[in-house]
Amino acid sequence: MKNSKKLLALALALVMVFALVACNGQEQKKGASADDIPDTMTSSDNKYQVAFITDVGQLKDKSFNQGTFDGVKLYASANEKSYKYYQPSGGDQATDDDRYDAMKAAVDGGAEVVVCAGFMQGAALEKAAVEFPDTKFVFIDGWSLGLDNVVGIAFNEHECGYFAGYAAVKEGYTKLGFSGGGAGTNDACCRYGYGYVQGANAAAAEMGVQVEMNYSWEYGAAFQASPELQSMISGWYENGTEVVFACGGSMFQSVSAAASANDGLVIGVDVDQSSQSDTVITSAMKGLADATQWACTKAFDGSWSEIGNSAVSLGAKDNATGLPTATWSMKNYKVEDYEKQFKDVVDGKLVIDADFNNLNQAWSNLTLNII
């Protein structure tokens, strides 16, 4: 009965997940932007209440790390909390011990809440959470660890991947690409890619056209830009690819550089990346900053028991997945058509498959070239 009540409370909370960011009368400062808040601050007592442990790649990756850290900064700034980020030693070769050391440093530095970004944090986070039961841990792109001081927050990336693939084909593009991070072992990226394929195929079927898609995990294991990745994507564009979904943090830099050099186009990931390159036609977004603020609010307002020892998965129904309509640049595919499709997902009229193990099926209107 206790677990049932907890799940009910959690479900009710998620209905207004992003509205709760400003609960308990501590509203966001009007006009606050994460870009206006410094990445580092000096605490008067040298203690930092909210800590962020980065995933692989750069802190300022204009994607996953930055989107999550933006949530930390926005919450801390609005609620007069001190904050600090920690990057595990070893960079892209960081080990579980490196990640644990970063978490321990955060706790030793006074962290009451530690926000950990990325599935690679799992083993280190479990060790740290057991050792430091009085510290609350927010596991972004994570899962339940069965511990009262941990909440796992995942997203329905297959939804926004679908929206993006559908939009690209509706806009008129039939030569697509997908370049994913994590070498195909990251469930979030796999869901993004699988949704992208489904959306492209659905739009092609409606329009009576055929779509071709290059689909690759090459050069994406570390979520980093590289000359090898840029060369591969340049080859795609030279051979007719029109749009590439850059799904992997700093990999975006290589994909957008290749697009710029070859009059190609890009779909961004995690956050609205349109400001990073004029090659971006849209972005498959998930609510990293908002979910982080929501969890931090729960950690400090006395309601952590509603979410601790649980895992949540946020999607369109929580306004946590979608495309950025404020920077809409497509001409043939209209915002109102996207908004109708989005509502269909929210209402359950359109159900998008999340099981990326079904990727290799026969697609009616799409030829998938796995590289």
Side-chain angles (χ1 to χ4, degrees):
M1 182 66 70
K2 181 179 178 181
N3 287 339
S4 296
K5 290 181 178 179
K6 181 175 182 178
L7 289 173
L8 176 59
L10 182 58
L12 291 173
L14 288 177
V15 172
M16 299 182 67
V17 59
F18 296 151
L20 286 174
V21 169
C23 70
N24 279 356
Q26 299 190 42
E27 297 183 358
Q28 288 281 80
K29 295 176 181 178
K30 291 184 178 180
S33 165
D35 291 337
D36 298 328
I37 303 170
D39 294 333
T40 59
M41 66 167 295
T42 301
S43 170
S44 59
D45 60 1
N46 205 32
K47 298 291 185 181
Y48 297 90
Q49 297 161 288
V50 187
F52 174 58
I53 312 298
T54 69
D55 195 8
V56 293
Q58 304 168 9
L59 173 71
K60 307 295 284 188
D61 60 2
K62 306 295 184 181
S63 186
F64 183 64
N65 273 329
Q66 186 167 341
T68 307
F69 187 45
D70 282 353
V72 169
K73 293 196 299 180
L74 286 165
Y75 174 81
S77 176
N79 294 278
E80 299 183 346
K81 304 292 185 184
S82 53
Y83 61 93
K84 185 176 181 178
Y85 72 87
Y86 298 78
Q87 293 185 287
S89 300
D92 297 334
Q93 304 303 314
T95 65
D96 290 338
D97 287 341
D98 294 328
R99 296 182 181 95
Y100 165 80
D101 288 344
M103 295 174 199
K104 184 177 186 304
V107 176
D108 290 344
E112 298 172 53
V113 178
V114 179
V115 178
C116 302
F119 75 106
M120 293 181 182
Q121 309 270 14
L125 197 160
E126 184 167 11
K127 178 181 177 182
V130 169
E131 185 172 342
F132 307 111
D134 295 330
T135 302
K136 299 174 177 65
F137 291 84
V138 179
F139 190 8
I140 300 293
D141 267 10
W143 52 88
S144 173
L145 296 178
L147 299 168
D148 289 341
N149 59 331
V150 180
V151 60
I153 300 179
F155 298 87
N156 297 341
E157 291 92 355
H158 53 288
E159 294 177 351
C160 47
Y162 184 103
F163 295 141
Y166 186 93
V169 175
K170 282 293 187 177
E171 184 65 7
Y173 303 111
T174 58
K175 307 290 185 183
L176 309 182
F178 171 83
S179 180
T185 61
N186 180 337
D187 286 1
C189 288
C190 288
R191 285 192 293 268
Y192 269 130
Y194 181 45
Y196 183 58
V197 172
Q198 291 180 78
N201 184 70
E206 290 178 12
M207 298 171 68
V209 300
Q210 291 293 317
V211 170
E212 294 182 16
M213 183 185 297
N214 289 331
Y215 193 99
S216 176
W217 301 105
E218 288 289 326
Y219 312 117
F223 296 89
Q224 290 281 27
S226 70
E228 294 82 5
L229 176 60
Q230 184 172 335
S231 178
M232 182 182 77
I233 303 301
S234 288
W236 289 7
Y237 286 126
E238 289 168 5
N239 285 286
T241 297
E242 299 164 297
V243 183
V244 176
F245 183 11
C247 183
S250 295
M251 293 169 64
F252 173 86
Q253 296 167 14
S254 291
V255 176
S256 61
S260 294
N262 293 278
D263 295 323
L265 299 170
V266 178
I267 292 172
V269 74
D270 289 338
V271 299
D272 183 0
Q273 295 189 303
S274 60
S275 65
Q276 306 310 308
S277 171
D278 59 10
T279 65
V280 175
I281 59 168
T282 192
S283 299
M285 302 196 316
K286 58 187 184 183
L288 293 166
D290 290 322
T292 299
Q293 292 175 80
W294 169 74
C296 287
T297 298
K298 290 290 186 183
F300 284 102
D301 73 357
S303 61
W304 178 265
S305 61
E306 296 177 4
I307 65 173
N309 193 10
S310 69
V312 301
S313 185
L314 307 178
K317 62 182 175 58
D318 311 298
N319 202 31
T321 56
L323 304 181
T325 57
T327 55
W328 199 268
S329 63
M330 290 175 283
K331 297 179 173 59
N332 299 322
Y333 185 49
K334 305 299 183 183
V335 170
E336 52 266 33
D337 294 326
Y338 158 70
E339 290 177 338
K340 180 181 183 303
Q341 184 182 68
F342 183 91
K343 186 174 186 302
D344 284 345
V345 174
V346 172
D347 294 342
K349 294 179 181 178
L350 173 58
V351 179
I352 302 163
D353 186 17
D355 186 359
F356 50 79
N357 292 309
N358 295 325
L359 176 69
N360 289 317
Q361 64 182 275
W363 297 98
S364 63
N365 290 70
L366 182 145
T367 300
L368 190 63
N369 305 314
I370 298 180
I371 299 169

